Amino acid sequence: MTPPAEQAGQAPPPSDERADRRAARVAERRRELRLRIISSLVLGPSAMVLAWVGGPIFAVAVFSAGIVVLREWWNITLAGTDRWAERIGAAAIVVAGAAVILGHGPLGLAIIFLGALLTGAVAAARRRRMDFGWAAGGVLYAGLAAVASVGVRDGVDGRFALFLLFAIVWGSDVAAFVGGRTFGGPKLWPAISPKKTWSGAASGVAGAVASALAIGAIAGHAPSFALAGLAALLSVVSQYGDLFESGIKRRFGVKDSGHIIPGHGGLMDRLDSFMAASVAAYLMALILSGLF
């Protein structure tokens, strides 16, 4: 088959030039991989230390991250929305954080929903177009995950619950990556994330179940179908959270949500799976506790 460059009447680049390009791409991927590994070695232990300590220190860290995620959401979806809307959204997360720290989780949830409505209304009114959904959605996305993460940690056996959530999300993420690369096969949702496969998704669920059972055994909990089922469900939710963020970035033509984490992009890029799983876990905990 004639190369496209020759079909167009253009000479293909010299072989040494193509080799240089390939070498440059390989070097760039290796550099990015090193950055990702270094960032993971810093972020992972830091998250576990904060989770172990818990209390106000953990809550302040979580809600601070929530404000960063909110800003990244707006940078993607609104390209610098009205400053008043930004301030209302950030204030809602701060006030909700204070309520949660004081032990009023349901009040924190109510503040997030109210803040989302006000933020959306201000954005839509002042920018004179329908920015309501994206502005309000950012507050819900960042705020609910923050409230949920702290709620899981402050619940019954919260330290184990949060470490279990870490194990499920991280185990799912690693297993999905390895399984997808190893087995390949049909794409999961090519329009949203071209690299993800069904084999990777299934491997992620298996990895989450194995990680949950391992953490449970370390904590002295006997293996059970309930724990395995919970891990499988949260793995699916976490993978959907990843796809959800990928869909938003693709919708607005953005590669990364930010550049705060070397090799990973923004906090949204790193926390999308955990945020979705934490909200699901917190909601299940509320239902099981009889609040709803």
Side-chain angles (χ1 to χ4, degrees):
M1 181 178 293
T2 304
E6 294 183 11
Q7 292 177 359
Q10 299 175 354
S15 59
D16 56 344
E17 182 179 339
R18 293 198 300 270
D20 289 342
R21 290 177 181 175
R22 285 195 297 269
R25 288 195 295 268
V26 170
E28 178 62 23
R29 285 195 292 266
R30 287 177 177 173
R31 186 187 71 84
E32 184 175 346
L33 179 59
R34 284 196 297 269
L35 287 174
R36 290 176 68 89
I37 292 174
I38 294 172
S39 297
S40 298
L41 291 175
V42 173
L43 292 174
S46 298
M48 289 189 287
V49 168
L50 288 170
W52 184 271
V53 173
I57 294 177
F58 176 70
V60 168
V62 167
F63 279 93
S64 298
I67 293 176
V68 175
V69 168
L70 177 62
R71 182 61 193 173
E72 291 177 349
W73 173 286
W74 276 331
N75 284 341
I76 294 172
T77 61
L78 299 178
T81 186
D82 182 83
R83 294 300 179 187
W84 276 106
E86 291 185 11
R87 290 165 183 160
I88 292 172
I93 292 180
V94 170
V95 176
V100 171
I101 290 174
L102 293 175
H104 304 292
L107 177 60
L109 286 175
I111 292 170
I112 291 298
F113 280 105
L114 178 60
L117 291 174
L118 290 175
T119 301
V122 169
R126 291 174 64 88
R127 290 172 63 89
R128 300 183 183 280
R129 62 187 181 88
M130 289 304 294
D131 282 337
F132 179 90
W134 290 113
V139 179
L140 291 176
Y141 183 78
L144 291 180
V147 172
S149 299
V150 178
V152 170
R153 178 61 180 86
D154 289 346
V156 177
D157 204 4
R159 183 178 289 163
F160 167 72
L162 191 56
F163 273 86
L164 177 65
L165 190 58
F166 283 159
I168 290 172
V169 173
W170 293 346
S172 176
D173 187 40
V174 172
F177 177 81
V178 174
R181 287 293 185 93
T182 302
F183 302 111
K187 302 299 182 182
L188 179 63
W189 198 344
I192 298 298
S193 184
K195 295 183 179 180
K196 287 184 171 57
T197 61
W198 283 101
S199 64
S203 299
V205 172
V209 171
S211 299
L213 294 178
I215 290 294
I218 292 173
H221 297 272
S224 66
F225 286 110
L227 181 57
L230 174 66
L233 176 60
L234 291 180
S235 172
V236 172
V237 173
S238 71
Q239 292 185 59
Y240 177 77
D242 187 12
L243 289 170
F244 176 72
E245 197 232 6
S246 296
I248 291 175
K249 291 190 295 185
R250 185 169 290 274
R251 163 69 173 77
F252 289 94
V254 176
K255 182 179 183 295
D256 295 317
S257 65
H259 306 284
I260 193 171
I261 306 175
H264 289 283
L267 278 183
M268 277 181 66
D269 298 318
R270 186 59 179 167
L271 299 178
D272 49 10
S273 299
F274 177 79
M275 292 169 68
S278 66
V279 172
Y282 185 54
L283 179 60
M284 285 187 286
L286 291 178
I287 294 173
L288 293 175
S289 69
L291 181 59
F292 295 149

